[in-house]
Coordinates of all heavy atoms in Angstrom, one line a residue:
L10 N 1.8 6.6 0.6 CA 1.5 6.8 2.1 C 2.6 7.7 2.7 O 3.7 7.3 2.8 CB 1.5 5.5 2.8 CG 0.2 4.6 2.8 CD1 -0.3 4.3 1.5 CD2 0.4 3.4 3.7
P11 N 2.2 9.0 2.9 CA 3.2 9.9 3.4 C 3.4 9.7 4.9 O 2.4 10.0 5.7 CB 2.6 11.3 3.1 CG 1.1 11.1 3.1 CD 0.9 9.6 2.7
V12 N 4.5 9.3 5.3 CA 4.8 9.0 6.8 C 6.0 9.8 7.3 O 6.7 9.3 8.2 CB 5.0 7.5 7.0 CG1 3.7 6.7 6.9 CG2 6.1 6.9 6.1
A13 N 6.1 11.0 6.7 CA 7.3 11.8 7.1 C 7.0 12.8 8.2 O 7.9 13.6 8.6 CB 7.9 12.4 5.9
G14 N 5.8 12.9 8.7 CA 5.4 13.9 9.7 C 6.1 13.7 11.0 O 6.6 12.6 11.2
L15 N 6.1 14.7 11.8 CA 6.9 14.6 13.1 C 6.1 13.9 14.2 O 6.6 13.5 15.2 CB 7.4 16.0 13.5 CG 8.3 16.7 12.6 CD1 8.7 18.1 13.1 CD2 9.6 15.9 12.3
G16 N 4.7 14.0 14.1 CA 3.9 13.4 15.1 C 4.0 14.0 16.5 O 4.1 13.4 17.5
T17 N 4.1 15.4 16.5 CA 4.4 16.1 17.7 C 3.3 15.9 18.8 O 3.5 16.0 20.0 CB 4.6 17.6 17.5 OG1 3.5 18.1 16.8 CG2 5.9 17.8 16.7
R18 N 2.1 15.6 18.3 CA 0.9 15.5 19.3 C 1.1 14.2 20.1 O 0.4 14.1 21.1 CB -0.4 15.5 18.5 CG -0.8 16.9 18.1 CD -2.0 16.9 17.2 NE -1.7 16.4 15.9 CZ -2.5 16.1 14.9 NH1 -3.8 16.2 15.2 NH2 -2.1 15.6 13.8
F19 N 2.0 13.3 19.7 CA 2.1 12.1 20.5 C 3.5 12.0 21.2 O 3.9 10.9 21.5 CB 1.9 10.9 19.6 CG 0.4 10.5 19.6 CD1 -0.4 11.1 18.6 CD2 -0.2 9.7 20.6 CE1 -1.8 10.8 18.6 CE2 -1.5 9.4 20.5 CZ -2.3 10.0 19.6
K28 N 4.8 7.6 14.8 CA 3.3 7.6 15.1 C 2.6 6.5 14.4 O 1.7 5.9 15.0 CB 2.8 9.0 14.6 CG 1.3 9.1 14.6 CD 0.9 10.6 14.3 CE 1.1 11.0 12.8 NZ 0.5 12.3 12.6
E29 N 3.0 6.2 13.2 CA 2.3 5.2 12.4 C 2.4 3.8 13.0 O 1.8 2.8 12.6 CB 2.8 5.2 11.0 CG 2.5 6.5 10.2 CD 3.5 7.6 10.6 OE1 4.6 7.3 11.2 OE2 3.3 8.8 10.2
V57 N 6.5 7.5 1.8 CA 7.4 8.7 1.8 C 7.8 8.9 3.3 O 6.9 9.2 4.1 CB 6.7 10.0 1.3 CG1 7.7 11.2 1.3 CG2 6.2 9.7 -0.2
T58 N 9.0 8.6 3.6 CA 9.4 8.5 5.0 C 10.4 9.7 5.4 O 10.7 10.5 4.5 CB 10.2 7.2 5.3 OG1 11.5 7.3 4.7 CG2 9.4 6.0 4.8
K62 N 12.2 6.5 10.7 CA 11.0 5.8 10.3 C 11.4 4.4 9.7 O 10.6 3.7 9.1 CB 10.3 6.6 9.2 CG 9.8 7.9 9.6 CD 8.5 7.9 10.4 CE 8.1 9.3 10.8 NZ 6.7 9.5 11.2
Q106 N 11.6 12.1 2.5 CA 11.2 13.5 2.2 C 12.3 14.5 2.6 O 12.3 15.6 2.1 CB 9.9 13.8 3.0 CG 9.3 15.2 2.6 CD 8.1 15.6 3.4 OE1 7.8 15.0 4.4 NE2 7.5 16.7 3.1
A108 N 13.0 16.7 4.5 CA 12.6 17.8 5.5 C 11.1 17.8 5.5 O 10.5 17.8 4.4 CB 13.2 19.1 5.1
P109 N 10.5 17.9 6.6 CA 9.0 17.9 6.6 C 8.4 19.3 6.2 O 8.0 20.1 7.0 CB 8.6 17.6 8.1 CG 9.8 18.1 8.9 CD 11.0 18.0 8.0
L110 N 8.4 19.5 4.9 CA 7.9 20.8 4.3 C 6.5 20.8 4.0 O 6.0 21.7 3.4 CB 8.7 21.1 3.0 CG 10.3 21.1 3.2 CD1 11.0 21.4 1.9 CD2 10.6 22.2 4.2
G111 N 5.7 19.8 4.4 CA 4.3 19.8 4.2 C 3.8 18.6 3.4 O 4.6 17.9 2.7
L112 N 2.5 18.3 3.5 CA 1.9 17.1 2.8 C 2.1 17.2 1.3 O 2.5 16.2 0.7 CB 0.4 17.0 3.2 CG -0.4 16.0 2.5 CD1 0.2 14.6 2.9 CD2 -1.8 16.0 2.9
G113 N 1.9 18.4 0.7 CA 2.1 18.5 -0.7 C 3.5 18.1 -1.1 O 3.7 17.4 -2.1
H114 N 4.5 18.6 -0.4 CA 5.9 18.3 -0.7 C 6.1 16.8 -0.5 O 6.9 16.2 -1.3 CB 6.8 19.1 0.2 CG 8.2 18.9 0.0 ND1 9.0 18.1 0.8 CD2 9.1 19.3 -0.9 CE1 10.2 18.0 0.4 NE2 10.3 18.8 -0.7
A115 N 5.5 16.2 0.5 CA 5.7 14.7 0.7 C 5.2 13.9 -0.5 O 5.9 13.0 -1.0 CB 5.0 14.2 2.0
I116 N 4.1 14.3 -1.0 CA 3.5 13.6 -2.2 C 4.4 13.8 -3.4 O 4.6 12.9 -4.2 CB 2.0 14.1 -2.5 CG1 1.1 13.9 -1.2 CG2 1.4 13.5 -3.7 CD1 1.0 12.5 -0.7
L131 N -3.2 7.8 0.7 CA -3.9 7.4 1.9 C -3.1 8.1 3.0 O -1.9 7.8 3.2 CB -3.9 5.9 2.1 CG -4.7 5.1 1.1 CD1 -3.8 4.5 0.0 CD2 -5.4 3.9 1.8
L132 N -3.7 9.0 3.8 CA -3.0 9.5 5.0 C -3.0 8.4 6.0 O -4.0 8.0 6.4 CB -3.7 10.8 5.5 CG -3.8 12.0 4.5 CD1 -4.1 13.2 5.3 CD2 -2.5 12.2 3.8
P133 N -1.8 8.0 6.4 CA -1.7 6.8 7.2 C -2.1 7.0 8.7 O -2.1 6.1 9.4 CB -0.2 6.4 7.1 CG 0.5 7.7 6.7 CD -0.5 8.6 6.1
D134 N -2.4 8.3 9.1 CA -2.8 8.4 10.5 C -4.3 8.3 10.6 O -4.9 8.3 11.7 CB -2.3 9.6 11.2 CG -2.2 10.8 10.4 OD1 -2.8 10.8 9.3 OD2 -1.5 11.8 10.8
V135 N -5.0 8.2 9.4 CA -6.5 8.1 9.4 C -6.8 6.6 9.1 O -6.3 6.1 8.1 CB -7.1 9.0 8.3 CG1 -8.6 8.7 8.2 CG2 -6.8 10.4 8.6
E230 N 3.8 25.6 5.0 CA 4.0 24.3 4.4 C 3.5 24.2 3.0 O 2.6 25.0 2.6 CB 3.3 23.2 5.2 CG 3.9 23.1 6.6 CD 3.4 21.8 7.3 OE1 2.3 21.3 7.0 OE2 4.1 21.4 8.3
D257 N -9.2 9.6 13.3 CA -8.0 10.3 13.1 C -7.0 9.9 14.2 O -7.0 10.5 15.3 CB -8.2 11.8 13.1 CG -6.9 12.6 13.1 OD1 -5.9 12.0 12.8 OD2 -7.0 13.9 13.2
G259 N -4.0 10.4 14.5 CA -3.0 11.4 14.8 C -3.4 12.3 16.0 O -2.6 13.1 16.4
Ligands
UTP321 P1 0.0 16.0 10.3 O1 -0.6 17.3 10.0 O2 -0.8 15.0 11.1 O3 1.4 16.2 10.9 O4 0.3 15.3 8.9 P2 2.3 15.2 11.8 O5 3.7 15.8 11.8 O6 2.2 13.8 11.3 O7 1.7 15.2 13.2 P3 1.7 16.3 14.4 O8 0.6 17.3 13.9 O9 3.0 16.9 14.5 O10 1.2 15.6 15.6 C1 -0.7 14.6 8.1 C2 0.0 13.5 7.3 O11 0.9 14.1 6.4 C3 2.2 13.5 6.6 C4 2.2 13.0 8.0 O12 3.1 11.9 8.2 C5 0.7 12.5 8.2 O13 0.5 11.3 7.6 N1 3.2 14.6 6.4 C6 3.0 15.8 6.9 C7 4.4 14.3 5.8 O14 4.6 13.1 5.3 N2 5.3 15.3 5.6 C8 5.1 16.5 6.0 O15 6.0 17.4 5.8 C9 3.9 16.8 6.7

Side-chain angles (χ1 to χ4, degrees):
L10 272 61
V12 289
L15 299 177
T17 52
R18 282 170 290 170
F19 274 89
K28 168 172 76 172
E29 299 78 14
V57 180
T58 71
K62 302 279 178 160
Q106 189 186 7
L110 301 178
L112 176 61
H114 180 259
I116 301 304
L131 296 95
L132 296 195
D134 38 13
V135 175
E230 294 193 336
D257 176 8

